[in-house]
Amino acid sequence: MAKILTCISIQDGKVRRSSLEVLTRCRQLAAAGGHTLEAAIVDADAAAHLDTVKAYGPQTIYTVSHPVFRRHLNTPVLAALTAVIEHARPDVVAFASTEAVKDVLGALAVRVGAAALPDVSSFELVDGGVEALRPVMAAKMLARTEARAPRVLVSVRSGSYTAEEAPAGAAVEAIPFTFDEASLRQTLREVVTAAGGAVDLSEARVVVAAGRGVKDEAGKQLVERLAGVLGAAIGASRAVVESGLFPATAQIGQTGKVVSPDLYVAVGISGAIQHVAGMQNSRVIVAINKDPDAPIFKYATYGIVGDLYKILPVLAEELERVKA
Ligand SMILES: Cc1cc2nc3c(=O)[nH]c(=O)nc-3n(C[C@H](O)[C@H](O)[C@H](O)COP(=O)(O)OP(=O)(O)OC[C@H]3O[C@@H](n4cnc5c(N)ncnc54)[C@H](O)[C@@H]3O)c2cc1C
């Protein structure tokens, strides 16, 4: 019997959906193999998230609370995660593959003497370790990797699993943690978020993304109108980021953000593999493109062939009418 620990990520005072997806996966593995499932919350106010995490069924939840966690700094986060792992002694530690986790995973593996499988799209427990699939070559291929070690850390791409509640009466254990903020040699001066970003792109349930087919400010306004009516975050291909029409923070893809919404609307995007690498985990993909042979249609659940400048006003108007 193994012990599986899921570390929960908090952003802007909320538990990240991707963490709950990983916790759900760990719960399924624990149930199938008779393993123990635990969770850890490291936050300025870890107790505030207990109800959310309890709803996903861990048997024990470890909390580490300290004001230093108001903002991500890898030194205290590393110290806290090391403390939890040394206390709980898990065999497998699973994380959502967030920017913060990417920042600390390697160092944490060294600290706690574990193997690490970063940024996987699925994972299984096998005899003596973990086996995982990992997207490589801009997600064109999947590599099967495994780590056989007494302790394995694994970080999982957002959207790889579905978060499903299964409440259990978790025991809660606060891990004592002291940290001298004056000892920090690193400070975080500013977190730059997407301009005017009403909805956070990487956690959004709906994303409307614009490509080079959106040629000008008028096209951008059409995209914004559709995003507004759908309550969506706005994404972009690298082409329209480079042209300056959309901010770099909106870029989705290999060198941009990875998103996994329930609905992804690709407007005037060809579907280059480097873009697809960032959005192919979306559940429903709607592509609007005037070229019926555009590669994006290979990935789309629904395709609309036509001029986006004619389609978007009709679509937005109809959705506004239905919502009214
Ligand atoms: C190392 C590397 C990393 C990269 N990383 C990324 C990345 O992270 N993200 C990313 O997006 N790209 C990335 N790229 C760039 C990528 O290869 C493509 O060039 C880019 O994704 C193309 O963007 P696009 O689909 O908007 O533009 P295009 O390929 O030019 O496609 C525009 C599409 O719009 C359609 N269209 C035109 N007018 C209309 C209209 N009026 N109505 C409807 N449809 C219309 C066209 O038919 C076409 O399919 C990377 C490239 C490299 C080499």
Side-chain angles (χ1 to χ4, degrees), residues 138 210-215 236-242 250-257 264 266-279 288-297 304-311:
R212 207 186 327 243
V214 178
K215 293 181 182 65
S237 73
R238 183 155 124 178
V240 283
V241 167
E242 283 178 348
Q251 185 175 318
I252 290 168
Q254 183 189 343
T255 44
K257 292 195 169 118
Y264 188 85
V267 183
I269 293 179
S270 63
I273 190 67
Q274 295 88 354
H275 183 80
V276 171
M279 47 66 78
I288 303 171
N289 199 301
K290 67 178 185 187
D291 173 7
D293 295 322
I296 191 76
F297 288 126
I304 305 174
V305 178
D307 182 350
L308 70 92
Y309 285 84
K310 293 195 181 126
I311 292 165

Side-chain angles (χ1 to χ4, degrees), residues 1-263:
M1 191 178 94
K3 189 190 264 194
I4 310 173
L5 174 73
T6 307
C7 292
I8 302 296
S9 295
I10 311 291
Q11 190 185 28
D12 299 331
K14 283 208 301 236
V15 173
R16 290 185 73 137
R17 175 169 59 98
S18 44
S19 289
L20 300 175
E21 293 168 0
V22 178
L23 182 54
T24 303
R25 172 60 178 161
C26 291
R27 188 183 72 232
Q28 291 160 352
L29 290 171
H35 307 303
T36 307
L37 177 65
E38 300 186 335
I41 310 171
V42 173
D43 189 50
D45 183 11
H49 310 292
L50 281 170
D51 287 348
T52 308
V53 177
K54 276 181 183 172
Y56 290 80
Q59 287 148 265
T60 305
I61 305 175
Y62 301 104
T63 56
V64 185
S65 292
H66 194 284
V68 73
F69 302 126
R70 279 183 307 262
R71 283 181 164 188
H72 175 82
L73 287 167
N74 53 17
T75 306
V77 169
L78 258 178
L81 291 174
T82 304
V84 173
I85 291 171
E86 282 174 354
H87 176 81
R89 310 199 68 71
D91 303 283
V92 175
V93 188
F95 305 80
S97 183
T98 63
E99 297 310 314
V101 167
K102 286 176 190 166
D103 205 23
V104 298
L105 198 71
L108 183 64
V110 173
R111 288 259 178 111
V112 300
L117 290 173
D119 217 21
V120 308
S121 56
S122 66
F123 72 105
E124 298 285 344
L125 303 196
V126 291
D127 239 6
V130 172
E131 192 177 275
L133 288 180
R134 185 162 189 260
V136 291
M137 296 172 164
K140 214 171 184 172
M141 303 182 87
L142 292 172
R144 190 180 299 282
T145 55
E146 63 172 41
R148 290 188 192 263
R151 182 165 295 150
V152 181
L153 313 184
V154 57
S155 74
V156 186
R157 283 189 158 208
S158 141
S160 300
Y161 295 103
T162 305
E164 281 165 16
E165 293 191 10
V172 177
E173 213 179 305
I175 306 284
F177 182 77
T178 51
F179 191 85
D180 176 13
E181 290 193 52
S183 71
L184 278 169
R185 286 190 294 168
Q186 172 199 35
T187 56
L188 182 63
R189 293 170 71 176
E190 191 186 3
V191 177
V192 183
T193 52
V199 186
D200 173 17
L201 196 53
S202 48
E203 289 281 295
R205 310 307 311 222
V206 184
V207 171
V208 175
R212 207 186 327 243
V214 178
K215 293 181 182 65
D216 48 21
E217 194 54 42
K220 186 178 176 188
Q221 279 170 20
L222 291 175
V223 168
E224 285 167 353
R225 182 175 167 198
L226 181 64
V229 67
L230 289 172
I234 295 179
S237 73
R238 183 155 124 178
V240 283
V241 167
E242 283 178 348
S243 74
L245 201 54
F246 289 85
T249 46
Q251 185 175 318
I252 290 168
Q254 183 189 343
T255 44
K257 292 195 169 118
V258 175
V259 297
S260 54
D262 293 333
L263 173 64

